[in-house]
Amino acid sequence: MHSLGILLSGRGSNFVAIADSIDAGRIPDARIAVVISNKADAPGIATARARGLTALVIPSKGRSREEHDREVVAVLKQHGVDLVCLAGYMRLLSPWFVQQFPRRILNIHPSLLPAFPGLEAQEQAFAYGVKVSGCTVHFVDEELDHGAIIVQKAVPVLETDDEHTLAARILVQEHVAYTEAVNIVLRGKFEIVGRRLQMKRA
Ligand code: GRF
């Protein structure tokens, strides 16, 4: 049984998508061991508690990255976490944190990386005028929105879109993409060659 740790800072819809996939058997042999937020008022924490999950707030405000990361990693390890899923976690991980879970930290980003890393990716893409955007689930490395890509989903930008309608359609694909990526990583039937994730043949 795999134990997932979810880190979030806000709404938590990607967390809910993963939790629903586990409950529905779409992510077999896994459970969510703990949900952690750096923000006390993150709606995702209340949602996690309502689902009967262990959900903890570890405030980051006013603390050094190092100190905060050490506490988060300690809690993840206490709960036996073997896969960390960042789901709207608005905080950079220190290199030390990344090294604690080699190729075991995933992030979701609402653009087709390497386009539009950083904040408000959907708004960036809309304002740039791209005709196709989407989302990316990738391994976390020491650089922002940078590690090897696991799954991407393309989403067309429609004539009728504004940045909000585009973001909403991307979000639907995020939820699909995260479940796919978690399954790929948990099954482990891949190798990473350079930056490329390649599935191994059965
Ligand atoms: C998502 O758009 C995700 O791609 C980005 O932050 C947002 C989090 O949304 N990293 P939610 O909290 O999962 O609803």
Side-chain angles (χ1 to χ4, degrees):
M1 174 72 79
H2 293 286
S3 294
L4 274 54
I6 308 275
L7 302 189
L8 54 77
S9 302
R11 178 175 59 179
S13 74
N14 278 287
F15 146 62
V16 168
I18 294 168
D20 284 350
S21 286
I22 290 175
D23 290 352
R26 290 189 297 270
I27 302 177
D29 205 27
R31 66 184 190 111
I32 294 177
V34 64
V35 179
I36 300 173
S37 172
N38 63 318
K39 300 242 185 260
D41 57 358
I45 285 291
T47 309
R49 288 186 178 143
R51 295 179 79 109
L53 296 169
T54 303
L56 304 171
V57 176
I58 303 179
S60 52
K61 201 166 183 196
R63 301 173 71 201
S64 71
R65 189 173 314 283
E66 174 99 21
E67 189 190 348
H68 182 253
D69 279 4
R70 282 191 186 276
E71 193 175 339
V72 172
V73 166
V75 169
L76 291 170
K77 292 196 168 169
Q78 275 161 24
H79 287 82
V81 166
D82 60 6
L83 182 70
V84 180
C85 297
L86 308 187
Y89 188 59
M90 303 305 284
R91 223 171 137 71
L92 266 179
L93 303 190
S94 62
W96 176 82
F97 189 143
V98 174
Q99 285 153 20
Q100 300 311 300
F101 294 94
R103 284 207 185 134
R104 284 277 161 181
I105 309 177
L106 312 188
N107 182 43
I108 184 146
H109 184 75
S111 74
L112 293 175
L113 289 172
F116 313 118
L119 292 175
E120 296 178 350
Q122 308 95 324
E123 288 83 345
Q124 290 186 55
F126 186 79
Y128 197 92
V130 297
K131 301 299 184 193
V132 179
S133 191
C135 61
T136 304
V137 184
H138 63 93
F139 286 107
V140 171
D141 65 10
E142 279 84 355
E143 292 177 51
L144 178 68
D145 299 331
H146 179 265
I149 291 170
I150 306 162
V151 170
Q152 288 189 308
K153 299 282 179 198
V155 174
V157 182
L158 307 178
E159 282 297 319
T160 49
D161 267 334
D162 60 27
E163 59 267 46
H164 306 292
T165 57
L166 175 62
R169 286 205 328 289
I170 291 174
L171 191 63
V172 173
Q173 294 305 313
E174 291 185 40
H175 299 160
V176 177
Y178 223 147
T179 290
E180 282 183 27
V182 167
N183 273 319
I184 288 170
V185 173
L186 291 183
R187 277 198 216 109
K189 295 200 164 92
F190 64 88
E191 55 192 354
I192 295 179
V193 182
R195 286 190 47 92
R196 292 181 55 79
L197 181 142
Q198 296 179 343
M199 301 309 293
K200 286 186 187 160
R201 298 207 177 173

